[in-house]
Amino acid sequence: MGRRYANPPIEEVVCEFRLTHETRWDLTVPGLLYEKLKESFPQKEQRLIQEVEFTQGPEGLQQQIRMSERLLFFTEDRKMLVQVGPRLLAVNALKPYPHWEVFRPRIAMVWKILQDTIEVQGLERIGLRYINRIELPAQDVALNEYFEFYPFVGTRLPRHTTSFLVGVEFSYADDRDRCRVQLAPVLVSGTEGKAAFILDLDYFLARRRGVAVADVLNWIEEAHSQVEEVFEGCITDKLRNIFEEVK
């Protein structure tokens, strides 16, 4: 088990499953899922979601933006939800994050219900993503005091930056998995004298069908362990003090 904090910076956690095209899917599937999930996720909404997809073509990497329709099933307090789209299922936990010991069983429950509803032939992608919002007590801060992951700026460049985006992908399990890490500042509305940053950690299956359907929950557990390691590797003890580590 990783470290625990009294004031964790987690804004949202998403566990997403994208199924292979061989998996049969029709318009009745979302309704069938809702009937089995409505006791835990009774509130239903329909939304249009904008998705950005990157594809490798003859002219290099290309970006496509598309709109997709999704059904959203919320818990009564709207702090957790299930998203359903064509061959897509996602489980979200919103702030305050209820800890992995609470969130993991919800993922397992939703995954089992999906398997009870349709025959999953394979997985294009699985992802476990942690979005952290980190507020610091001053606007002009030395990033290296709080982060072990930050942009390097050479000595001949200006000291003050107005914005930045730094990112990297780490490889795991013989490049079957990747972990994308990004850090960027965000505006702090209504609070002067503070700085805020988004630290986005996205661990995902990079190899199509790289995990057997029967091993999905084991993969998710391993993904969570790796995300915890990466998060701790991104921050310093000064930031841990702000989060108030629980011993």
Side-chain angles (χ1 to χ4, degrees):
M1 184 183 297
R3 300 177 190 241
R4 289 205 173 194
Y5 300 100
N7 298 306
I10 298 168
E11 283 284 304
E12 183 173 5
V13 184
V14 186
C15 184
E16 181 188 78
F17 306 94
R18 291 183 180 268
L19 313 180
T20 58
H21 288 288
E22 293 85 359
T23 300
R24 294 186 62 182
W25 188 282
D26 59 45
L27 295 176
T28 67
V29 173
L32 294 172
L33 289 172
Y34 178 67
E35 285 302 313
K36 297 175 181 179
L37 287 166
K38 65 182 179 182
E39 184 174 340
S40 299
F41 299 88
Q43 299 186 21
K44 182 169 63 172
E45 292 184 8
Q46 192 168 350
R47 293 184 188 173
L48 282 175
I49 304 291
Q50 181 174 286
E51 294 184 291
V52 179
E53 182 179 11
F54 293 94
T55 56
Q56 188 70 42
E59 299 179 359
L61 195 63
Q62 298 177 337
Q63 176 180 306
Q64 292 181 327
I65 299 176
R66 61 182 183 186
M67 302 297 292
S68 66
E69 194 173 89
R70 291 191 192 174
L71 281 176
L72 277 58
F73 312 145
F74 289 87
T75 53
E76 285 287 0
D77 61 5
R78 299 182 72 84
K79 295 299 183 183
M80 205 172 290
L81 65 140
V82 174
Q83 300 185 59
V84 181
R87 294 186 178 86
L88 177 142
L89 186 75
V91 189
N92 301 53
L94 308 179
K95 188 177 180 178
Y97 179 58
H99 296 300
W100 183 243
E101 292 77 16
V102 175
F103 187 45
R104 186 191 183 281
R106 288 297 186 104
I107 296 171
M109 178 193 74
V110 173
W111 173 245
K112 183 179 184 304
I113 286 175
L114 176 67
Q115 289 185 288
D116 290 343
T117 305
I118 62 172
E119 185 177 354
V120 178
Q121 295 293 330
L123 289 142
E124 292 280 350
R125 186 185 190 275
I126 320 170
L128 183 64
R129 183 179 182 187
Y130 277 72
I131 302 170
N132 302 276
R133 178 185 172 90
I134 298 169
E135 289 197 3
L136 301 180
Q139 286 184 335
D140 191 10
V141 296
L143 290 176
N144 63 339
E145 291 184 12
Y146 298 94
F147 296 99
E148 297 282 1
F149 177 75
Y150 56 90
F152 170 77
V153 180
T155 57
R156 297 178 61 184
L157 295 171
R159 295 293 88 198
H160 297 286
T161 59
T162 57
S163 184
F164 64 84
L165 173 63
V166 58
V168 68
E169 277 191 8
F170 299 107
S171 174
Y172 293 86
D174 295 326
D175 209 33
R176 182 199 66 184
D177 304 340
R178 301 277 181 88
C179 185
R180 182 180 296 122
V181 184
Q182 293 183 319
L183 179 71
V186 292
L187 293 175
V188 183
S189 59
T191 306
E192 294 184 0
K194 285 189 176 182
F197 302 86
I198 294 293
L199 177 62
D200 188 339
L201 311 176
D202 187 8
Y203 191 99
F204 59 94
L205 177 67
R207 187 182 303 158
R208 182 179 184 269
R209 288 184 173 271
V211 171
V213 172
D215 295 331
V216 162
L217 295 181
N218 291 333
W219 183 95
I220 291 170
E221 192 66 52
E222 178 62 22
H224 175 256
S225 297
Q226 299 293 5
V227 167
E228 282 193 327
E229 287 290 327
V230 172
F231 175 76
E232 294 297 335
C234 287
I235 65 175
T236 66
D237 286 339
K238 193 168 184 177
L239 202 45
R240 291 187 184 94
N241 290 336
I242 292 176
F243 300 153
E244 299 181 16
E245 184 179 356
V246 178
K247 299 295 185 179

